[in-house]
């Protein structure tokens, strides 16, 4: 077995037993990347030389000592490019480390390279990148999901041991499901957003892609905790996510929301989820039906609030201080107009215009205000549901990975790819996706486990019990 | 037709804090361009704001000093507009829930320009009501050159308070008094140095006219580029005259923004306002609403100082000064504090006030940076009060004290000015004078009271001019009439 197929946990034990060195791990990954990334195109930029230096200097006594991690291109790493897969930041170099990056460094991790994404995290297929399309490791004619498609694909293709992504409406969980890995969207406020280039500030959260639940617990642990630089990060300290991990699901109540099994869902996906639910029941969990009545409104609410916030968040990209600047502007308005017209891709423009519209005077109450009210109803749905259960089980995505180009001409179809993940961000709760089977075309299916606010321990525990009783996570794509 | 003006002011005040509003950069006036900057106040990708609680506390304190209602939570909104001096192209401000609402600024006689302080038609005790006070971040400073522009971000993100008055101001003099009284209170509270010339207090004026007695407002114009309080007064006189002229000639006032040119003494059209800009305000999702009804409110309360009106009353009762004297002393808190530290240990407190308000102010109009320590005033008033020097000598000592920054006692010693108050010596000289001047004594006793001057002159000669004339007077009269 090659080193690149290993997990954080298995490499940690090999490292402490001195069976391998951090340099060997990095070299093994670099080789793997060299051989498969031309097909996958998950990485935008490699940190090879520096990664090797970090490997040689690695402090193995630290929780991630000697472990390489890939980073989504919207997280600031000082001196690295940070383009958010947008032309407008084509030559931009980060001036500082995001808090999650500082935490990775403190934990001894090696920063391997930067992964592709939908421009400014807007998309569900990574087709909206200015730097080319990333492929699904299980079928390179298909999309890896998005927006963190690069981070998911490199873990799925074993080009990385683990990676970081960001999740605004499903951008970690959906690509994790489509690429056959574990993706965690922590509770809003659990992980600092400082240094994550904002898409929608009230929804964005950083989280890990890993090959196993145990690795997910470990990496989530490292990046969690209060950050005085992020006013929305919670004051409470993160508990030890590993301590309860292996306690099993016996006695746990798992909710299944009837609204999540809808027409239009791929029957193979539905079967995968139903089987997984049964499996958890057989492991001793009590399955209860719950209701999340405002599920249907979630997508509309999301596209109002997220675009409204984005329209302001992306206003700073104007060609004045950094980033792309149009040549020979006639005046400052021309500078703004052309720099942005040339720098942003069409989906980003669409969302900025939509967001500007919903905030405009005369429309604010009908859209933004109303959406905020429905958001509260969605949050209440979850509060009510979690009175009846410890975690909720749903599909992560209504379909397995679709073909490249299949939905890229129809934004509404694309928006529906996130119908099962969006409400989790709106309600500020936590959710993870893990492999729960394959379609007949050997495409991964993801099971989403949703927990209440600060309920990461519970969903990791459910995930661990399921994963350890199945072998889906051990399957590897044929590349 | 007679017209009246309706004036409302929007005042921006820079708060005195160590750091900027949402980052830890220094909040400092001046400095090398772009030296107080960081990723946050430059609006780099991925940064987040963290509110400066000191700025929130100082805004609440301002609200308390001005009698405003304080909101139980501090909520921030994004105000969206593109401008190069604004790094994020939105300004973090407060829209529908300002920190302070209501309240008012009480005017007082001393806040008005000197030339109207005796005008019986002025209502010196008017209160100008406030609409609101909110907290926001300041923008950067732009510089325009021949073919390019530059931006200094040192000011970007510094805490700024916007104080909006009701349209209660009826005359340019009231506007002057409003700004003076407001500034006085801000300085009293230590929330800002509020120096208009340094841009620490900036003022936009809304002004319209209407026929006297009419209830509806006229169309208003906004005046900009007002850099001094007296400039505001002058600009209003000019603008009111312009508007009256336009209307009297049958014209109509357009809603426009006009620039005041202080040198030319005129306002000039900047732009015509066609429609209100849509700022697309929405709550800033990066900032959680901050509770103000617990710690911050209580903290702000402890910082509310004695305000000018109360100080004027107390100075009168504690030190026996006149209302006018108290008013001048209280016009600057530094001046009042100076007076109090000089007067507290002194026996004759009114004398200190006289020295400060007559002798000192004759040498300098600067109320805040008096070049000598207050205890010199205590000393000089003690010297006079205990008759060690006479009033003529006091003038001499005072001038020397200001010029050389030497203690009055040292000056008196140096110049040998100290008056002889040794009663034994004085009595002896007086006896000698009576013995030596039979004629003058007889004249005095026969009713020619002026004859005493000859005796006094004798004593003064004996004492080499150092005898205290009033004491000699007293002794001689006693001896001559007994
Ligand atoms: Zn700063």
């Amino acid at each position: 077995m090659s080193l690149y197929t290993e997990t954080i946990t298995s490499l940690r034990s090999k490292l402490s037993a001195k069976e391998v060195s951090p340099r060997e791990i990095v070299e093994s990954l670099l080789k793997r990347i060299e051989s498969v990334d031309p097909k996958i195109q998950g990485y935008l930029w490699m940190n090879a030389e520096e990664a090797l230096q970090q490997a040689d200097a690695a402090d193995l006594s630290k929780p991630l000592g000697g472990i390489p991690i890939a980073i989504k291109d919207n997280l600031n790493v000082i001196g690295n490019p940070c383009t958010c897969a947008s032309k407008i930041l084509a030559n931009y170099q980060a001036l500082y480390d995001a808090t999650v990056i500082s935490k990775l460094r403190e934990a001894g991790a090696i920063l391997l390279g930067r992964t592709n994404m939908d421009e400014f995290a807007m998309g569900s297929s990574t087709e909206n990148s200015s730097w080319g399309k990333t492929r699904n490791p299980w079928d390179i004619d298909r999309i890896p999901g998005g927006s963190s498609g690069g981070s998911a694909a490199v873990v799925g293709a074993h080009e990385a041991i683990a990676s970081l992504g960001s999740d605004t409406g499903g951008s970690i969980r959906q690509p994790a499901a489509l690429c056959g890995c574990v993706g965690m969207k922590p509770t809003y406020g659990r992980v600092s957003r400082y240094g994550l280039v904002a898409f929608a500030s009230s929804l964005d959260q950083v989280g890990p892609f890993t090959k196993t639940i145990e690795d997910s617990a470990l990496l989530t642990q490292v990046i969690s905790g209060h950050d005085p630089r992020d006013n929305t990060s919670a004051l409470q300290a993160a508990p030890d996510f590993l301590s309860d991990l292996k306690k099993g699901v016996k006695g746990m109540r798992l909710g299944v929301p009837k609204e999540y099994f809808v027409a239009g869902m791929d029957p193979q996906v539905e079967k995968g989820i139903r089987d997984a639910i049964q499996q958890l029941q057989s492991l001793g969990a009590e399955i209860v039906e719950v209701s999340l009545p405002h599920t249907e409104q979630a997508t509309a609410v999301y596209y109002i609030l997220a675009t409204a916030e984005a329209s302001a968040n992306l206003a700073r990209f104007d060609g004045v201080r950094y980033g792309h600047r149009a040549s020979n502007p006639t005046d400052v308005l021309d500078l703004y107009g052309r720099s942005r017209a040339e720098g942003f891709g069409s989906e980003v423009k669409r969302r900025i215009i939509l967001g500007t519209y919903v905030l405009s005077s005369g429309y604010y109450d009908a859209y933004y205000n109303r959406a905020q009210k429905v958001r509260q109803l969605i949050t209440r749905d979850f509060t009510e549901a979690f009175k009846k259960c410890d975690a909720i089980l749903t599909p992560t995505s209504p379909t397995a990975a679709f073909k490249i180009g299949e939905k890229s001409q129809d934004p509404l179809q694309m928006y529906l790819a996130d119908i099962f993940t969006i409400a989790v961000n709106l309600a500020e709760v936590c959710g993870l996706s893990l492999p729960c089977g394959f379609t007949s075309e050997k495409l991964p299916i993801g099971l989403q486990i949703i927990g209440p606010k600060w309920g990461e321990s519970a969903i990791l525990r459910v995930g661990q019990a399921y994963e350890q009783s199945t072998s889906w996570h051990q399957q590897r794509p044929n590349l | 037709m007679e017209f009246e003006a309706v004036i409302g002011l929007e005042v921006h005040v820079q708060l005195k804090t160590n750091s900027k509003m949402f980052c830890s950069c220094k909040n400092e006036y001046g400095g090398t361009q772009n030296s107080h900057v960081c990723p946050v106040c430059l609006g780099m990708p991925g940064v987040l704001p963290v509110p400066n609680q000191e700025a929130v506390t100082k805004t609440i304190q301002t609200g308390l000093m001005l009698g405003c209602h304080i909101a139980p939570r501090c909520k921030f909104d994004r105000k969206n507009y593109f401008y190069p001096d604004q790094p994020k192209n939105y300004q973090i401000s407060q829209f529908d829930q300002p920190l302070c609402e209501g309240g008012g600024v009480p005017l007082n006689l001393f806040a008005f320009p000197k030339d109207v302080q005796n005008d019986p038609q002025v209502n010196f005790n008017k209160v100008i009501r406030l609409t609101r006070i909110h907290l926001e971040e300041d923008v950067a400073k732009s510089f325009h050159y021949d073919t390019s522009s530059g931006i200094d971000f040192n000011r970007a993100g510094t805490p700024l308070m916007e104080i909006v008055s009701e349209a209660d101001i009826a005359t340019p003099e009231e506007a002057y008094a409003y700004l003076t009284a407001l500034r006085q209170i801000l300085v009293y509270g230590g929330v800002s140095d509020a120096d208009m010339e340094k841009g620490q207090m900036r003022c936009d004026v809304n002004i319209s006219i209407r026929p006297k007695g009419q209830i509806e407002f006229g169309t208003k114009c906004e005046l900009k580029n007002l850099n001094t309080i007296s400039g505001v007064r002058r600009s209003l006189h000019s603008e009111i005259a312009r508007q009256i002229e336009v209307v009297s000639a049958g014209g109509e006032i357009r809603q426009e923004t006009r620039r005041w040119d202080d040198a030319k003494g005129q306002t000039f059209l900047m732009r015509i306002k066609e429609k209100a800009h849509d700022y697309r305000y929405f709550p800033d999702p990066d900032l959680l609403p901050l509770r103000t009804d617990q710690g911050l409110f209580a903290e702000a309360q402890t910082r509310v100082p004695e305000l000018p009106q109360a100080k004027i009353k107390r100075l009168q009762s504690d030190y026996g000064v006149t209302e006018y004297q108290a008013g001048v002393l209280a016009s600057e808190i530094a001046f009042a504090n100076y007076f109090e530290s000089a007067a507290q240990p002194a026996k004759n407190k009114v004398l200190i006030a006289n020295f400060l308000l007559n002798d000192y102010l004759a040498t300098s109009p600067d109320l805040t940076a008096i070049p000598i320590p207050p205890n010199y005033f205590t000393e000089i008033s003690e010297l006079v009060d205990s008759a060690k020097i006479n009033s003529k000598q006091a003038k001499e000592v005072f001038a020397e004290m200001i010029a050389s920054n030497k203690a009055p006692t040292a000056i008196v010693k140096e110049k040998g000015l100290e008056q002889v108050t040794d009663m034994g010596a004085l009595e002896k000289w007086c006896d000698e004078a009576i013995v030596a001047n039979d004629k003058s004594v007889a004249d005095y006793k026969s009713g020619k009271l002026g004859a005493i001057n000859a005796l006094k002159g004798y004593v003064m000669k004996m004492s080499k001019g150092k005898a205290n004339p009033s004491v000699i007077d007293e002794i001689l009269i006693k001896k001559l009439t007994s």
Side-chain angles (χ1 to χ4, degrees):
Chain A
M1 199 164 90
S2 308
L3 285 175
Y4 61 77
T5 61
E6 304 259 351
T7 65
I8 299 176
T9 312
S10 65
L11 286 174
R12 286 292 298 147
S13 63
K14 286 200 165 100
L15 282 166
S16 40
K18 298 210 159 41
E19 289 168 35
V20 295
S21 71
R23 177 171 269 267
E24 286 169 316
I25 298 170
V26 172
E27 281 172 344
S28 162
L29 281 166
L30 290 175
K31 244 187 176 159
R32 172 73 175 173
I33 292 164
E34 201 183 338
S35 81
V36 306
D37 206 57
K39 278 185 256 179
I40 302 295
Q41 296 178 51
Y43 283 101
L44 293 175
W45 185 82
M46 291 303 303
N47 215 3
E49 219 166 283
E50 218 188 306
L52 287 168
Q53 281 167 16
Q54 287 174 19
D56 292 339
D59 180 349
L60 300 184
S61 67
K62 294 184 166 171
L64 293 177
I67 304 294
I69 310 280
I71 308 296
K72 187 178 181 179
D73 199 34
N74 60 354
L75 285 162
N76 280 269
V77 175
I78 189 163
N80 285 11
C82 183
T83 75
C84 301
S86 178
K87 268 192 257 177
I88 210 158
L89 286 174
N91 298 310
Y92 183 75
Q93 276 201 352
L95 294 181
Y96 66 97
D97 274 342
T99 299
V100 289
I101 300 300
S102 307
K103 284 180 179 279
L104 286 186
R105 289 192 204 271
E106 276 161 35
I110 297 164
L111 303 173
L112 191 57
R114 311 205 41 97
T115 60
N116 200 10
M117 58 188 279
D118 284 301
E119 185 179 3
F120 285 106
M122 296 176 180
S124 308
S125 67
T126 313
E127 290 169 290
N128 296 335
S129 167
S130 301
W131 316 130
K133 297 171 175 55
T134 296
R135 312 291 171 136
N136 191 304
W138 297 88
D139 176 352
I140 61 168
D141 290 331
R142 292 176 187 268
I143 56 97
S147 66
S148 315
S151 284
V154 297
V155 173
H158 296 274
E159 297 179 66
I161 308 301
S163 63
L164 289 189
S166 66
D167 190 317
T168 307
S171 281
I172 290 174
R173 289 156 292 155
Q174 183 256 18
L178 271 42
C179 291
C181 47
V182 176
M184 162 73 91
K185 199 293 285 186
T187 307
Y188 186 79
R190 176 70 93 187
V191 179
S192 168
R193 294 186 295 114
Y194 187 80
L196 166 69
V197 181
F199 160 16
S201 314
S202 75
L203 301 160
D204 294 342
Q205 198 62 184
V206 180
F209 290 91
T210 55
K211 297 175 186 178
T212 64
I213 289 286
E214 189 171 2
D215 280 7
S216 186
L218 185 62
L219 200 43
T220 305
Q221 185 88 55
V222 167
I223 61 172
S224 292
H226 175 66
D227 178 9
R229 285 178 180 278
D230 178 0
N231 193 240
T232 62
S233 93
L235 271 169
Q236 67 195 93
D240 183 353
F241 294 134
L242 289 159
S243 64
D244 287 351
L245 192 63
K246 292 169 182 169
K247 287 193 173 158
V249 289
K250 212 171 185 115
M252 283 183 94
R253 292 169 308 162
L254 303 179
V256 177
K258 50 178 188 264
E259 294 85 358
Y260 277 63
F261 293 84
V262 289
M265 197 196 310
D266 182 332
Q268 294 194 65
V269 170
E270 177 161 5
K271 183 174 185 309
I273 303 304
R274 297 267 185 221
D275 289 350
I277 292 168
Q278 209 157 38
Q279 173 73 8
L280 281 160
Q281 190 168 26
S282 73
L283 292 170
E286 181 193 342
I287 305 297
V288 296
E289 191 184 272
V290 293
S291 175
L292 298 167
H294 297 90
T295 299
E296 211 186 310
Q297 283 78 40
T299 305
V301 168
Y302 174 83
Y303 279 98
I304 291 167
L305 297 182
T307 57
E309 292 179 15
S311 72
N313 283 334
L314 271 62
R316 71 190 62 196
F317 305 106
D318 59 6
V320 172
R321 286 145 300 131
Y322 52 81
H324 175 71
R325 177 187 285 199
S327 51
N328 303 316
T330 54
D331 59 17
V332 72
L333 281 182
D334 183 47
L335 170 72
Y336 289 150
R338 284 198 293 121
S339 299
R340 288 165 69 78
E342 291 162 13
F344 288 135
S346 59
E347 182 60 27
V348 172
K349 285 178 195 160
R350 186 180 356 259
R351 296 199 195 189
I352 290 173
I353 292 167
L354 190 58
T356 304
Y357 178 80
V358 299
L359 288 174
S360 299
S361 100
Y363 298 101
Y364 182 87
D365 284 334
Y367 293 108
Y368 184 84
N369 242 354
R370 191 113 187 243
Q372 285 291 18
K373 284 178 190 150
V374 181
R375 181 176 185 173
Q376 285 171 17
L377 296 176
I378 291 168
T379 305
R380 208 171 62 191
D381 282 357
F382 280 94
T383 310
E384 290 303 311
F386 284 120
K387 287 179 183 165
K388 293 190 193 135
C389 61
D390 304 305
I392 291 171
L393 306 173
T394 78
T396 307
S397 166
T399 65
F402 44 89
K403 287 261 168 64
I404 289 173
E406 191 182 324
K407 296 184 182 177
S408 53
Q409 296 312 309
D410 185 349
L412 279 181
Q413 269 302 306
M414 189 72 90
Y415 294 174
L416 291 177
D418 292 330
I419 52 169
F420 297 145
T421 46
I422 277 172
V424 170
N425 301 73
L426 290 169
E428 304 188 348
V429 297
C430 60
L432 66 79
S433 177
L434 82 167
C436 72
F438 289 87
T439 65
S440 54
E441 292 158 296
K442 190 77 179 160
L443 297 171
I445 300 169
L447 169 70
Q448 177 171 238
I449 309 173
I450 303 168
K453 270 195 152 191
W454 322 117
E456 286 85 349
S457 292
I459 59 175
L460 286 163
R461 185 172 150 192
V462 176
Q464 174 77 4
Y466 177 79
E467 179 191 88
Q468 292 305 306
S469 69
T470 58
S471 62
W472 310 117
H473 65 290
Q474 288 160 348
Q475 310 249 357
R476 277 186 215 117
N478 193 11
L479 277 162
Chain B
M1 197 188 299
E2 229 189 307
F3 290 95
E4 63 180 9
V6 178
I7 303 164
L9 300 189
E10 278 171 31
V11 178
H12 284 95
V13 177
Q14 287 185 342
L15 286 172
K16 214 155 79 175
T17 57
N18 292 328
S19 56
K20 291 189 179 182
M21 187 60 227
F22 295 109
C23 65
S24 53
C25 289
K26 252 195 200 158
N27 174 18
E28 206 176 77
Y29 181 71
T32 312
Q33 291 190 349
N34 292 309
S35 58
H36 303 320
V37 295
C38 73
V40 176
C41 55
L42 287 175
M44 302 310 282
V47 295
L48 295 172
V50 176
N52 181 342
Q53 298 212 352
E54 177 64 17
V56 178
T57 307
K58 285 204 154 91
T59 306
I60 297 172
Q61 185 199 336
T62 304
L64 291 172
M65 292 192 295
L66 297 172
C68 305
H69 170 75
I70 310 296
R73 50 176 223 160
C74 174
K75 174 208 164 208
F76 289 103
D77 301 283
R78 292 184 182 179
K79 178 182 183 181
N80 295 286
Y81 66 94
F82 277 74
Y83 205 77
D85 66 9
Q86 182 165 255
K88 302 182 293 294
N89 287 317
Y90 63 80
Q91 180 187 27
I92 305 177
S93 181
Q94 298 190 290
F95 177 50
D96 54 343
Q97 294 174 31
L99 258 175
C100 315
E101 281 183 283
V105 175
L107 307 184
N108 63 74
L109 173 69
F110 305 97
F112 279 83
K114 279 222 166 59
D115 55 285
V116 300
Q117 286 187 1
N118 293 313
D119 186 337
Q121 295 198 306
V122 177
N123 173 6
F124 296 110
N125 296 316
K126 189 168 174 177
V127 175
I128 306 300
R129 291 170 304 153
L130 295 178
T131 312
R132 58 184 277 163
I133 304 175
H134 72 249
L135 182 56
E136 59 189 27
E137 53 178 344
D138 208 345
V139 296
K141 223 171 173 168
S142 302
F143 298 88
H144 301 290
Y145 311 108
D146 285 348
T147 56
S148 63
S149 294
I151 311 170
D152 176 8
F153 288 96
N154 282 356
R155 199 180 68 184
T158 56
L160 195 65
M161 209 164 45
E162 183 174 325
I163 303 174
V164 183
S165 84
E166 294 284 320
D168 278 356
I169 301 168
T171 66
E173 287 64 42
E174 282 181 14
Y176 180 102
Y178 169 79
L179 289 169
T180 307
L182 175 61
R183 181 181 177 274
Q184 195 181 16
I185 291 169
L186 296 171
V187 174
Y188 262 59
V191 296
S192 173
D193 291 334
D195 187 337
M196 271 187 89
E197 278 163 65
K198 287 184 179 163
Q200 293 162 336
M201 184 159 121
R202 306 194 285 270
C203 174
D204 293 337
V205 171
N206 285 304
I207 157 89
S208 64
I209 56 160
R210 62 183 171 192
K212 224 174 189 155
Q214 180 181 304
I215 293 166
E216 302 87 61
F217 292 127
T219 304
K220 66 181 179 188
C221 291
E222 193 179 337
L223 305 187
K224 291 206 179 268
N225 195 40
L226 302 163
N227 301 321
T228 58
I229 294 179
S230 50
V232 171
R233 183 189 179 195
R234 283 195 298 275
S235 74
L236 281 167
H237 274 296
S238 151
E239 177 62 13
I240 291 168
R242 183 192 73 86
Q243 292 193 9
I244 290 175
E245 198 179 303
V246 169
V247 174
S248 301
E252 241 176 59
I253 302 294
R254 286 179 306 186
Q255 192 177 345
E256 52 192 34
T257 303
R258 302 183 65 86
R259 185 175 191 282
W260 168 246
D261 186 325
D262 206 58
K264 295 202 174 89
Q266 258 183 290
T267 63
F268 291 95
L269 176 66
M270 269 173 84
R271 58 178 174 265
I272 298 165
K273 280 199 170 175
E274 273 160 4
K275 55 176 183 190
H277 195 282
D278 184 0
Y279 290 114
R280 304 189 312 276
Y281 281 100
F282 74 103
D284 192 329
D286 287 332
L287 292 161
L288 301 175
L290 193 66
R291 285 200 71 160
T292 50
D293 52 354
Q294 293 167 333
L296 294 180
F297 185 89
E299 170 62 27
Q301 250 176 340
T302 67
R303 297 192 194 177
V304 173
E306 178 186 49
L307 293 175
Q309 311 285 60
K311 198 180 285 290
I312 289 171
K313 288 219 172 70
R314 187 176 57 78
L315 290 179
Q316 286 174 258
S317 63
D318 285 8
Y319 301 97
V321 297
T322 66
E323 187 188 358
Y324 183 83
Q325 286 182 315
V328 179
L329 289 168
S331 61
E332 282 282 351
I333 188 159
F335 196 49
N337 288 342
Y338 188 95
F339 165 72
E340 288 203 68
S341 52
Q344 251 154 23
K347 263 192 237 117
N348 188 341
K349 299 167 197 305
V350 175
L351 205 49
I352 306 252
N354 292 339
F355 269 118
L356 263 175
L357 300 175
N358 303 332
D359 300 86
Y360 170 70
L361 287 185
T363 68
S364 161
D366 192 341
L367 305 183
T368 55
I370 299 169
I372 51 168
N375 64 307
Y376 286 12
F377 278 90
T378 320
E379 273 185 26
I380 195 169
S381 72
E382 290 296 329
L383 286 169
V384 173
D385 197 45
S386 61
K388 290 211 170 102
I389 55 175
N390 60 37
S391 56
K392 201 174 135 239
Q393 290 167 320
K395 296 257 185 253
E396 193 187 334
V397 172
F398 189 88
E400 176 71 12
M401 172 177 95
I402 297 286
S404 66
N405 198 4
K406 275 187 200 148
T409 42
I411 296 168
V412 164
K413 213 164 258 165
E414 221 175 82
K415 301 203 163 211
L417 293 175
E418 195 156 357
Q419 293 184 50
V420 176
T421 48
D422 174 351
M423 288 306 278
L426 290 175
E427 296 240 10
K428 201 176 132 245
W429 286 326
C430 286
D431 285 341
E432 284 174 28
I434 290 168
V435 170
N437 292 281
D438 288 347
K439 183 162 185 317
S440 301
V441 170
D443 285 351
Y444 184 85
K445 288 193 168 163
S446 69
K448 292 180 186 160
L449 295 180
I452 199 167
N453 286 335
L455 301 174
K456 261 167 87 179
Y458 182 92
V459 176
M460 287 306 280
K461 215 164 102 190
M462 298 295 291
S463 70
K464 296 187 181 92
K466 289 182 190 171
N468 185 322
S470 60
V471 180
I472 307 172
D473 245 10
E474 225 172 278
I475 297 171
L476 284 172
I477 291 167
K478 199 173 76 199
K479 286 186 189 294
L480 292 171
T481 51
S482 62

